[in-house]
Every structure is written in C-alpha cells, then in structure tokens.
Amino acid sequence: MSSQNEIRRLTAPDILARKSGEPIVCLTSYHAHTARIVDAYCDVILVGDSLGMVMHGLETTIPVTLDMMILQGHAVMRGSKRALVVVDLPFGCYEASKEQAFASAARVMKETGCGAVKLEGGRRMAETIAFLAERGVPVMGHVGLTPQAINTIGSFRAQGRDEADWPPIEADARAVADAGAFAVVLEAIAEPLGRRITAQIAIPTIGIGASVACDGQILVLEDMLGLSPRVPKFVKRFGELRPSIEQAIRNYAQEVRTRRFPGSDHVYPMRSAAKAGLARLAGRGGGPQRP
Ligand code: KIV
C-alpha cells in the first residue's frame, strides 16, 4: 500500500517491541500546537482523559465524554507526525460490555485516525481487551491507581504500599498483558511493585509514579511544565512556565491599557503608504520588505 507520508508513525507493535529496550518516552497532549512540540521528542502521545481536569477545570475525569476525547484526539493527530497517538476511552463508554467498548474504540479510531486506545482496569477488563485486540484495536491498559474509579476508591492515593496489597495489582497487570494489550500504564504504585511487575510481564510498562525500572515513563504535560496548580508527588517539574506566561499577559494588559500596543509594526498601513515606504527604501538601496 502506498503512502504520501514521508515520516512513518510509530505503531502499537513498534512500542510492544521496545519491551526491556530503550526507554519509551510518553507525554500527554490535548492540542495541535503542544502535540507538534511533544512529537519531536516522544514515542507516544496520550490524549488522556486528564483533559477534563487540565483543560476544563473538572474535579475528576468522570464527566469527560467520548466527543471531548475525539475532538482533542483529532487536534493531536493534526499536530503530530511520528509519535503513536493513544486516545483514552472515558468513563461510561466501555465498561458495560465488550461490544460497547468496541463501538466506542472504533468511533475514536475512525474519527481521529489515532493508532490505539487506552482503558482503565485489570482483570475485570481482560475479556474486553482481548475482544478489541482481536478486532484491530490496539489497547494500552492502565492499572494501579485508576482515576475513573475515584468514587469507589475514595481518593487519589498510591496503591500497593503494603506488600499484602500486591497480589491483586500484579494479577491485574498480568491479566492485561495476557489479554493482548500492547503496553500498560502503572500509575501511583509502590516503587518495588513497579519494578516487580515490569520484570514479570511480557509487555512494556509505562510508569507514572511507579519505578525508573519501568519500560517507559509518562507525565501530564501541563504538570511537568509547571502550569498545574496542584500536582501529585510523582511529578517532577521540568519547567516553570507559569511565571513567564503570567509576565507576558501582564505586559500585554499594560500595553493595551496605555495604548502602546498595537504599535506601527503590528498594523496594516494603506497600500499607497506602504509603496511609498518601499520606494523610499529602494532609493536608499534597501531590498524588498516582507509584507
Ligand atoms: O489521563 C491521563 O492523562 C492518564 C495519564 C495520567 C496516564 O491516564
């Protein structure tokens, strides 16, 4: 089959093949312009349902809809060329049955062009993961802390900090791998457990508050850039963008109020005035100017 694209996008099998290899670099993105930047450095871009909290100021991811995910997934696909784009299936659009999950995943893949979906849950989702994988939908699993379960677990706290709590989490990760997922996110689990699961299962583990031993790492972009007001312990701020954004907005507001912006460089003169300016410049040996 021929393709017009010069840059080949990474696929779910490419990511699966990276088990125990070079670390897999993943970040979230919800917009075309951030996707363009992330795409240059990352293997996987996750359009996470965290967009409900980050973009929309929601308290949890529960109200996020499939339409919201599709809109932002499409934007991220337009902004990226190389990374595998994975779109989260939001709460309520996949848990009822494997058929419901397939219908939602198929809509996401058709309408965004993304290469895979992510869903939360271990053993309880194994049958669904197998059903999707057998029908052409690459699935990234997500176990440990699963934010869509907030109303049953009660808080966003780390999991598996007592060894007695390990067996169900390990069983969840194994079930996801055995069902045919190509990778699994391990969120907010005790470090030795992240290490142990990574050694136990045959698919790449993508850690977020798990272990440096995971096959890859992911963070929410706005958290690591210093834009989110509150962040979990596992977030390292690789940038502090908030003060520079605030400064730029403060400067803009001040220049608008004092009528210093827009200046002559940022407005369109009449054509006759522009031509006269060019002729004057040409007379002085100046070349053509950018319109
Ligand atoms: O929604 C999201 O951004 C996620 C990551 C935190 C893994 O699921």
Side-chain angles (χ1 to χ4, degrees), residues 28 30 46 48-51 61 88 118 120 142 185 187 208 218 220:
T28 63
Y30 322 121
L46 172 68
D49 62 353
S50 53
L51 66 79
T61 55
D88 253 343
K118 178 166 82 59
E120 294 184 9
H142 185 154
V185 169
E187 179 164 353
I208 174 162
I218 187 162
V220 170

Side-chain angles (χ1 to χ4, degrees), residues 128-208:
T128 296
I129 293 171
F131 189 82
L132 297 186
E134 284 159 10
R135 285 160 181 77
V137 180
V139 180
M140 179 180 272
H142 185 154
V143 304
L145 175 64
T146 49
Q148 292 177 12
I150 183 64
N151 288 313
T152 46
I153 59 179
S155 74
F156 293 117
R157 66 170 187 282
Q159 311 284 303
R161 295 186 73 188
D162 294 309
E163 219 171 310
D165 300 331
W166 287 11
I169 305 171
E170 289 177 88
D172 280 341
R174 269 199 307 273
V176 166
D178 293 348
F182 71 92
V184 60
V185 169
L186 305 180
E187 179 164 353
I189 58 171
E191 197 279 338
L193 178 59
R195 201 172 273 279
R196 194 173 144 98
I197 292 174
T198 301
Q200 275 177 6
I201 65 175
I203 61 171
T205 56
I206 309 296
I208 174 162

Side-chain angles (χ1 to χ4, degrees), residues 43-189:
D43 304 305
V44 174
I45 304 179
L46 172 68
V47 185
D49 62 353
S50 53
L51 66 79
M53 297 159 93
V54 176
M55 286 180 69
H56 297 275
L58 297 166
E59 280 299 308
T60 71
T61 55
I62 301 298
V64 174
T65 65
L66 201 55
D67 287 338
M68 288 160 84
M69 298 308 304
I70 288 172
L71 195 62
Q72 303 321 132
H74 202 187
V76 168
M77 283 299 293
R78 279 195 297 261
S80 62
K81 289 195 182 97
R82 178 192 163 269
L84 171 66
V85 173
V86 180
V87 176
D88 253 343
L89 294 183
F91 178 72
C93 80
Y94 65 94
E95 304 89 332
S97 67
K98 48 194 197 302
E99 289 79 11
Q100 183 204 27
F102 182 79
S104 298
R107 241 198 97 193
V108 168
M109 293 184 75
K110 276 173 186 282
E111 294 182 33
T112 68
C114 73
V117 299
K118 178 166 82 59
L119 56 80
E120 294 184 9
R123 285 158 293 168
R124 70 184 166 85
M125 293 313 302
E127 203 186 331
T128 296
I129 293 171
F131 189 82
L132 297 186
E134 284 159 10
R135 285 160 181 77
V137 180
V139 180
M140 179 180 272
H142 185 154
V143 304
L145 175 64
T146 49
Q148 292 177 12
I150 183 64
N151 288 313
T152 46
I153 59 179
S155 74
F156 293 117
R157 66 170 187 282
Q159 311 284 303
R161 295 186 73 188
D162 294 309
E163 219 171 310
D165 300 331
W166 287 11
I169 305 171
E170 289 177 88
D172 280 341
R174 269 199 307 273
V176 166
D178 293 348
F182 71 92
V184 60
V185 169
L186 305 180
E187 179 164 353
I189 58 171

